Amino acid sequence: MAAVPSREVARRVFANEFNDAGYTFKESDDERAPVYLLLPTGERANRIFLVGTLTETEDVGEDSEYWQGRVVDPNGDTFFMYAGQYQPDAASMLRELEPPAYVSVVGKPRTYETDDGEVNVSVRPESITTVDEATRDRWVVETAERTIERIQNYQGADEEEGAAVDEYVQMAREEYDLPVENYRRTAIEALESLEESDEQAEASP
């Protein structure tokens, strides 16, 4: 019996970094080899895990249903996701959900080149689940931690002379001309937004 390939770990990433990514690659010539999106902080992602506020849904299909959903993270940045006939569960969730709602989404990154050569990134959802605010807050904390770990790994190679540079960090340096400190700011701002909402909740009668 052939071994079933294990599912890829779903990476936690804020929309700011996700939308800055645009380079995809495979690690083998096999037609069915997974396609990875290279995150600017030097991590490959075949699947991502996000939690945020679903602010809008729209059927943008022409001949058949093709749903677009916008999910906003605590920094106000947007993940775009699209689900059609090949993602029936996700499409029916987008059809039935009434924004605004907190949702948890696991899906695959997809890239699309526009006519003017820009690369847009979106999510093809495998699952969409409604969640509560506490689940969203936990995701923010854990995503901030993962983001900062990736940045430390990215920058650590500079500080240790002769240290072997992680191959995905090396790839990110070659493919993106983006200061990774931007993503540290994103992570810190997301954590600060949670503190502010806690303070407001405490202050309200």
Side-chain angles (χ1 to χ4, degrees):
M1 205 168 106
V4 177
S6 59
R7 297 183 89 186
E8 297 277 345
V9 174
R11 306 289 180 194
R12 297 163 185 270
V13 60
F14 290 114
N16 172 21
E17 181 179 0
F18 182 71
N19 291 328
D20 279 349
Y23 178 74
T24 56
F25 65 98
K26 286 183 168 189
E27 301 208 307
S28 86
D29 296 330
D30 182 350
E31 201 177 302
R32 294 170 61 192
V35 176
Y36 294 102
L37 180 73
L38 181 66
L39 299 178
T41 49
E43 180 72 87
R44 61 179 190 165
N46 172 254
R47 299 163 79 231
I48 69 158
F49 169 47
L50 65 104
V51 182
T53 307
L54 180 72
T55 59
E56 195 179 309
T57 59
E58 184 184 355
D59 180 6
V60 295
E62 291 176 3
D63 302 322
S64 60
E65 280 190 319
Y66 191 61
W67 284 87
Q68 178 195 73
R70 291 167 176 246
V71 178
V72 176
D73 74 9
N75 296 313
D77 298 313
T78 304
F79 291 97
F80 287 92
M81 57 182 173
Y82 294 91
Q85 60 182 351
Y86 300 112
Q87 300 82 38
D89 295 344
S92 69
M93 283 295 283
L94 290 174
R95 185 188 312 115
E96 291 160 21
L97 278 170
E98 286 288 329
Y102 287 127
V103 292
S104 154
V105 180
V106 174
K108 295 204 174 251
R110 284 287 172 265
T111 54
Y112 167 74
E113 191 165 336
T114 63
D115 294 338
D116 56 6
E118 288 280 310
V119 176
N120 289 341
V121 192
S122 62
V123 181
R124 192 184 73 194
E126 295 171 351
S127 67
I128 303 172
T129 312
T130 53
V131 295
D132 58 16
E133 188 175 4
T135 302
R136 195 283 309 254
D137 292 353
R138 267 199 311 278
W139 176 85
V140 170
V141 172
E142 288 166 6
T143 303
E145 287 171 357
R146 294 291 91 77
T147 301
I148 289 167
E149 280 170 15
R150 292 198 298 268
I151 292 165
Q152 286 170 338
N153 183 46
Y154 186 103
Q155 294 176 328
D158 291 334
E159 289 155 14
E160 296 171 42
E161 236 175 276
V165 178
D166 178 296
E167 64 177 305
Y168 304 115
V169 167
Q170 189 61 43
M171 208 185 281
R173 289 177 174 179
E174 288 166 7
E175 295 299 332
Y176 302 117
D177 184 22
L178 296 163
V180 291
E181 278 303 315
N182 288 356
Y183 309 119
R184 188 191 300 273
R185 253 199 316 278
T186 299
I188 291 166
E189 284 167 9
L191 293 172
E192 286 172 349
S193 76
L194 294 189
E195 287 174 16
E196 281 168 25
S197 58
D198 285 348
E199 284 165 12
Q200 285 165 0
E202 285 167 16
S204 61

PDB file of all heavy atoms in Angstrom, residues 162-174:
ATOM      1  N   GLY A 162      29.876  32.637  10.111  1.00  0.00           N
ATOM      2  CA  GLY A 162      30.105  31.268   9.652  1.00  0.00           C
ATOM      3  C   GLY A 162      28.920  30.343   9.863  1.00  0.00           C
ATOM      4  O   GLY A 162      28.986  29.171   9.549  1.00  0.00           O
ATOM      5  N   ALA A 163      27.814  30.882  10.434  1.00  0.00           N
ATOM      6  CA  ALA A 163      26.638  30.028  10.661  1.00  0.00           C
ATOM      7  C   ALA A 163      26.000  29.691   9.317  1.00  0.00           C
ATOM      8  O   ALA A 163      25.964  30.521   8.411  1.00  0.00           O
ATOM      9  CB  ALA A 163      25.627  30.761  11.537  1.00  0.00           C
ATOM     10  N   ALA A 164      25.508  28.470   9.228  1.00  0.00           N
ATOM     11  CA  ALA A 164      24.838  28.067   7.983  1.00  0.00           C
ATOM     12  C   ALA A 164      23.509  28.799   7.899  1.00  0.00           C
ATOM     13  O   ALA A 164      22.750  28.834   8.867  1.00  0.00           O
ATOM     14  CB  ALA A 164      24.612  26.568   8.001  1.00  0.00           C
ATOM     15  N   VAL A 165      23.242  29.409   6.760  1.00  0.00           N
ATOM     16  CA  VAL A 165      21.984  30.142   6.600  1.00  0.00           C
ATOM     17  C   VAL A 165      20.905  29.165   6.146  1.00  0.00           C
ATOM     18  O   VAL A 165      21.113  28.378   5.220  1.00  0.00           O
ATOM     19  CB  VAL A 165      22.146  31.289   5.564  1.00  0.00           C
ATOM     20  CG1 VAL A 165      20.829  32.019   5.359  1.00  0.00           C
ATOM     21  CG2 VAL A 165      23.220  32.262   6.019  1.00  0.00           C
ATOM     22  N   ASP A 166      19.785  29.207   6.825  1.00  0.00           N
ATOM     23  CA  ASP A 166      18.627  28.388   6.468  1.00  0.00           C
ATOM     24  C   ASP A 166      18.311  28.606   4.982  1.00  0.00           C
ATOM     25  O   ASP A 166      18.316  29.732   4.494  1.00  0.00           O
ATOM     26  CB  ASP A 166      17.468  28.863   7.346  1.00  0.00           C
ATOM     27  CG  ASP A 166      16.173  28.140   7.072  1.00  0.00           C
ATOM     28  OD1 ASP A 166      15.658  28.282   5.961  1.00  0.00           O
ATOM     29  OD2 ASP A 166      15.689  27.440   7.972  1.00  0.00           O
ATOM     30  N   GLU A 167      18.016  27.515   4.271  1.00  0.00           N
ATOM     31  CA  GLU A 167      17.833  27.650   2.809  1.00  0.00           C
ATOM     32  C   GLU A 167      16.652  28.549   2.448  1.00  0.00           C
ATOM     33  O   GLU A 167      16.674  29.255   1.429  1.00  0.00           O
ATOM     34  CB  GLU A 167      17.682  26.275   2.136  1.00  0.00           C
ATOM     35  CG  GLU A 167      16.449  25.516   2.550  1.00  0.00           C
ATOM     36  CD  GLU A 167      16.305  24.195   1.798  1.00  0.00           C
ATOM     37  OE1 GLU A 167      16.301  24.221   0.550  1.00  0.00           O
ATOM     38  OE2 GLU A 167      16.187  23.148   2.459  1.00  0.00           O
ATOM     39  N   TYR A 168      15.602  28.552   3.292  1.00  0.00           N
ATOM     40  CA  TYR A 168      14.432  29.387   2.968  1.00  0.00           C
ATOM     41  C   TYR A 168      14.697  30.849   3.309  1.00  0.00           C
ATOM     42  O   TYR A 168      14.177  31.749   2.649  1.00  0.00           O
ATOM     43  CB  TYR A 168      13.179  28.854   3.676  1.00  0.00           C
ATOM     44  CG  TYR A 168      12.931  27.409   3.325  1.00  0.00           C
ATOM     45  CD1 TYR A 168      13.014  26.403   4.304  1.00  0.00           C
ATOM     46  CD2 TYR A 168      12.680  27.035   2.007  1.00  0.00           C
ATOM     47  CE1 TYR A 168      12.832  25.067   3.963  1.00  0.00           C
ATOM     48  CE2 TYR A 168      12.501  25.704   1.661  1.00  0.00           C
ATOM     49  CZ  TYR A 168      12.584  24.726   2.646  1.00  0.00           C
ATOM     50  OH  TYR A 168      12.411  23.413   2.314  1.00  0.00           O
ATOM     51  N   VAL A 169      15.526  31.085   4.323  1.00  0.00           N
ATOM     52  CA  VAL A 169      15.953  32.455   4.634  1.00  0.00           C
ATOM     53  C   VAL A 169      16.777  32.993   3.462  1.00  0.00           C
ATOM     54  O   VAL A 169      16.568  34.111   2.989  1.00  0.00           O
ATOM     55  CB  VAL A 169      16.766  32.496   5.948  1.00  0.00           C
ATOM     56  CG1 VAL A 169      17.471  33.837   6.115  1.00  0.00           C
ATOM     57  CG2 VAL A 169      15.869  32.211   7.146  1.00  0.00           C
ATOM     58  N   GLN A 170      17.694  32.161   2.979  1.00  0.00           N
ATOM     59  CA  GLN A 170      18.536  32.550   1.846  1.00  0.00           C
ATOM     60  C   GLN A 170      17.665  32.878   0.627  1.00  0.00           C
ATOM     61  O   GLN A 170      17.870  33.878  -0.060  1.00  0.00           O
ATOM     62  CB  GLN A 170      19.495  31.395   1.513  1.00  0.00           C
ATOM     63  CG  GLN A 170      20.576  31.748   0.483  1.00  0.00           C
ATOM     64  CD  GLN A 170      21.484  32.870   0.966  1.00  0.00           C
ATOM     65  OE1 GLN A 170      21.900  32.892   2.111  1.00  0.00           O
ATOM     66  NE2 GLN A 170      21.754  33.826   0.097  1.00  0.00           N
ATOM     67  N   MET A 171      16.671  32.037   0.405  1.00  0.00           N
ATOM     68  CA  MET A 171      15.768  32.233  -0.737  1.00  0.00           C
ATOM     69  C   MET A 171      14.985  33.540  -0.580  1.00  0.00           C
ATOM     70  O   MET A 171      14.816  34.300  -1.534  1.00  0.00           O
ATOM     71  CB  MET A 171      14.796  31.041  -0.795  1.00  0.00           C
ATOM     72  CG  MET A 171      14.269  30.713  -2.163  1.00  0.00           C
ATOM     73  SD  MET A 171      13.019  29.400  -2.090  1.00  0.00           S
ATOM     74  CE  MET A 171      14.029  27.942  -1.927  1.00  0.00           C
ATOM     75  N   ALA A 172      14.517  33.807   0.653  1.00  0.00           N
ATOM     76  CA  ALA A 172      13.735  35.032   0.901  1.00  0.00           C
ATOM     77  C   ALA A 172      14.596  36.267   0.671  1.00  0.00           C
ATOM     78  O   ALA A 172      14.127  37.275   0.126  1.00  0.00           O
ATOM     79  CB  ALA A 172      13.178  35.026   2.327  1.00  0.00           C
ATOM     80  N   ARG A 173      15.867  36.184   1.065  1.00  0.00           N
ATOM     81  CA  ARG A 173      16.755  37.330   0.852  1.00  0.00           C
ATOM     82  C   ARG A 173      16.956  37.599  -0.635  1.00  0.00           C
ATOM     83  O   ARG A 173      17.072  38.750  -1.065  1.00  0.00           O
ATOM     84  CB  ARG A 173      18.110  37.051   1.508  1.00  0.00           C
ATOM     85  CG  ARG A 173      18.027  37.090   3.013  1.00  0.00           C
ATOM     86  CD  ARG A 173      19.356  36.734   3.626  1.00  0.00           C
ATOM     87  NE  ARG A 173      19.307  36.912   5.066  1.00  0.00           N
ATOM     88  CZ  ARG A 173      20.317  36.667   5.868  1.00  0.00           C
ATOM     89  NH1 ARG A 173      21.465  36.244   5.378  1.00  0.00           N
ATOM     90  NH2 ARG A 173      20.207  36.854   7.164  1.00  0.00           N
ATOM     91  N   GLU A 174      16.990  36.515  -1.411  1.00  0.00           N
ATOM     92  CA  GLU A 174      17.208  36.676  -2.857  1.00  0.00           C
ATOM     93  C   GLU A 174      15.946  37.155  -3.566  1.00  0.00           C
ATOM     94  O   GLU A 174      16.017  37.918  -4.528  1.00  0.00           O
ATOM     95  CB  GLU A 174      17.667  35.338  -3.451  1.00  0.00           C
ATOM     96  CG  GLU A 174      19.094  34.972  -3.048  1.00  0.00           C
ATOM     97  CD  GLU A 174      19.433  33.505  -3.333  1.00  0.00           C
ATOM     98  OE1 GLU A 174      18.602  32.807  -3.961  1.00  0.00           O
ATOM     99  OE2 GLU A 174      20.519  33.054  -2.917  1.00  0.00           O
TER     100      GLU A 174
END
